[in-house]
Amino acid sequence: MDLRIVTWNCNGALRKKYEFLAAFNADLLVIQECENPAEAAHGGYKEWAKNYLWVGDNKHKGLEIFAKEEIVLEALDWEDAYQGHQVKYFIPCQVDQSFQLLAVWAHYNNSPNFGYIGQLWKYLQLNKQHLKKAVIAGDFNSNAIWDEWDRWWNYSDVEKELKEVGIESLYHKFYDEIQGQESHPTFFMNRKVARAYHIDYVFACQELTKSLLNVEVGKVDEWLRISDHLPLICHFNNLNHKFTAPCLVH
């Protein structure tokens, strides 16, 4: 089995940008800040987005998983209210009854204390027990360089909790780089090269990591003109039959 997963924050107006993604021939696309295809007026975009799951408060800007037509996406009903506060944005799903995919767009969510990475930390407290055979992909809006000494929901805390259940960052695994010292940024604030950070990730369980072939970050000169984020592409091959067998965890 060959598998390509791409995560990209399109910075809005995906209807004008989706054709740039064709070159990846991705099986799964996790896209942040994109329109809801069901309410889009653009015919080409609606035709392209045939197999997807979308979530958002605004039809113009949400989180979406796109999949090739032959892939079965089954939405999972995971908890998203932590102590009465609904966290966002997350899409958990089962992919071909084979593994779980958790799409992430870590949002501020009007939460000065638990915004961005704090939203993901809360979500993990609710659902970490579900992450048996899982891929977590998206815009975390965080990096170890922004850890604060008096917080227990830093990026490094999230990364540690995932590692404890056997899930690790594929970029750091492939490039053998330390968290917070990434040589390939994925985000350029205000599209300025001097303000570059690594905040987009694909994490995966060990069974999938064993089949990792390549991890690539999109080229600045190709992508910065259409978004403030670069795509992160993960390619797997020779996935063993044990991993691709139906997963019984729901």
Side-chain angles (χ1 to χ4, degrees):
M1 179 181 177
D2 194 76
L3 179 70
R4 293 177 189 268
I5 299 175
V6 176
T7 183
W8 180 47
N9 186 319
C10 70
N11 196 212
L14 184 60
R15 68 189 182 279
K16 300 178 181 179
K17 306 172 182 180
Y18 68 92
E19 292 177 327
F20 290 99
L21 297 167
F24 295 136
N25 190 29
D27 299 280
L28 296 163
L29 294 161
V30 177
I31 309 293
Q32 302 83 35
E33 297 193 27
C34 62
E35 304 100 319
N36 182 354
E39 299 186 64
H42 191 283
Y45 177 53
K46 290 175 72 74
E47 176 65 20
W48 175 76
K50 293 179 178 178
N51 187 15
Y52 69 90
L53 299 171
W54 184 92
V55 66
D57 298 323
N58 182 327
K59 68 179 182 179
H60 300 295
K61 188 174 286 189
L63 170 67
E64 191 152 17
I65 300 172
F66 298 93
K68 287 185 175 179
E69 289 189 70
E70 63 270 20
I71 292 176
V72 177
L73 297 178
E74 177 190 354
L76 297 173
D77 186 21
W78 290 3
E79 181 62 54
D80 65 355
Y82 183 88
Q83 297 181 354
H85 174 253
Q86 187 173 13
V87 297
K88 62 183 183 184
Y89 293 104
F90 304 96
I91 303 177
C93 71
Q94 198 81 14
V95 179
D96 278 343
Q97 287 294 302
S98 177
F99 64 93
Q100 302 135 335
L101 172 62
L102 175 61
V104 176
W105 176 23
H107 200 274
Y108 178 66
N109 200 14
N110 296 317
S111 181
N113 292 324
F114 282 89
Y116 303 122
I117 196 63
Q119 297 290 291
L120 179 53
W121 182 87
K122 285 184 174 183
Y123 194 81
L124 289 180
Q125 308 318 301
L126 297 167
N127 298 294
K128 189 167 56 175
Q129 73 276 10
H130 297 311
L131 300 173
K132 305 298 182 181
K133 291 184 177 180
V135 175
I136 305 172
D139 178 1
F140 286 22
N141 266 312
S142 192
N143 187 284
I145 61 174
W146 296 313
D147 286 354
E148 296 183 13
W149 71 270
D150 58 346
R151 281 194 323 206
W152 61 90
W153 61 92
N154 286 308
Y155 171 86
S156 293
D157 297 305
V158 168
E159 190 261 340
K160 180 181 177 182
E161 289 203 25
L162 291 174
K163 185 174 289 186
E164 288 173 352
V165 294
I167 296 175
E168 60 184 325
S169 167
L170 299 182
Y171 171 90
H172 296 87
K173 175 76 172 180
F174 183 78
Y175 288 100
D176 193 24
E177 293 185 355
I178 297 172
Q179 296 280 351
Q181 298 182 24
E182 295 85 4
S183 59
H184 298 83
T186 64
F187 170 65
F188 297 81
M189 188 173 292
N190 300 320
R191 302 196 188 188
K192 296 185 181 297
V193 175
R195 304 187 69 183
Y197 308 96
H198 190 106
I199 65 173
D200 302 271
Y201 304 89
V202 177
F203 280 71
C205 64
Q206 292 177 358
E207 292 172 87
L208 189 55
T209 302
K210 292 175 183 177
S211 298
L212 182 64
L213 179 65
N214 187 49
V215 175
E216 180 184 356
V217 177
K219 296 178 180 179
V220 174
D221 57 354
E222 292 180 5
W223 291 93
L224 198 56
R225 59 192 174 90
I226 57 175
S227 176
D228 51 2
H229 287 250
L230 308 180
L232 180 65
I233 308 102
C234 295
H235 183 196
F236 311 84
N237 71 349
N238 297 324
L239 294 179
N240 64 53
H241 70 281
K242 291 181 180 180
F243 187 84
T244 56
C247 176
L248 301 179
V249 179
H250 289 272

